[in-house]
Amino acid sequence: MHTEMSDMVGRRRVRGWVLYDAACPLCCDLMKRFPNTLEASAFRLAPLQAPWVRELLDLPADQLLAEMCVLTRKGRILAGADALVYVANDISAKRRPWWAWLLVAASRLPLGMPLLRSGYRWIALRRQCRPGVCQVANTPKTPKEEML
């Protein structure tokens, strides 16, 4: 197991690592918005592109960046919606933002996790789909498409 897992955050033991795509504008924006919340809950942040992460996950390049992951203190690896729900559930109740409460509640409903997983995959596939980045967004539209 990677020795960095025994690190301490302040006086607290690291709960896990949130592993994100450092080349993804959406992922980076989210990591910039919530570092205090995550770090106060003893999570560390690391890019999926970091050599130790690539080595640990041992995934082909096309799969490595497909979903964010969480590496728990016990060495368990969660990906996608499962990782988000794990983090949301593990954020201390005092610091838990509204979206984390919503994720945790939704995950406990019947069909909640399958819907969250499907939604996560839909967003992940389109996370860079914006003008100037996405091939779909950069494709010229026909006059008929523009009217829709």
Side-chain angles (χ1 to χ4, degrees):
M1 177 51 53
H2 193 264
T3 58
E4 289 184 62
M5 288 306 294
S6 62
D7 280 355
M8 302 289 277
V9 175
R11 293 181 176 241
R12 297 176 64 190
R13 188 178 197 118
V14 172
R15 281 188 170 163
W17 291 83
V18 176
L19 310 171
Y20 66 97
D21 181 356
C24 167
L26 175 63
C27 303
C28 291
D29 183 51
L30 290 171
M31 292 305 114
K32 288 176 187 172
R33 287 180 189 221
F34 301 107
N36 295 336
T37 302
L38 294 171
E39 290 172 6
S41 296
F43 282 99
R44 292 284 194 114
L45 305 175
L48 287 163
Q49 292 91 336
W52 71 268
V53 174
R54 285 195 321 258
E55 183 180 325
L56 177 76
L57 297 179
D58 193 29
L59 292 171
D62 62 325
Q63 291 178 17
L64 178 67
L65 304 178
E67 298 180 317
M68 61 90 61
C69 295
V70 169
L71 172 61
T72 70
R73 180 174 58 226
K74 294 181 180 181
R76 192 168 156 215
I77 298 170
L78 303 165
D82 295 280
L84 282 176
V85 170
Y86 177 85
V87 169
N89 197 50
D90 238 27
I91 293 173
S92 69
K94 292 179 184 177
R95 295 189 153 273
R96 191 175 293 164
W98 66 269
W99 58 264
W101 287 104
L102 185 62
L103 277 174
V104 171
S107 73
R108 294 181 180 158
L109 294 172
L111 298 176
M113 281 310 297
L115 288 172
L116 288 172
R117 289 180 188 119
S118 177
Y120 181 95
R121 283 190 298 271
W122 188 88
I123 291 169
L125 288 170
R126 292 158 182 81
R127 69 182 187 255
Q128 295 189 28
C129 199
R130 58 185 188 156
V133 177
C134 178
Q135 290 299 323
V136 175
N138 290 330
T139 305
K141 292 185 169 53
T142 65
K144 188 175 184 179
E145 290 175 320
E146 287 176 356
M147 293 175 62
L148 299 175

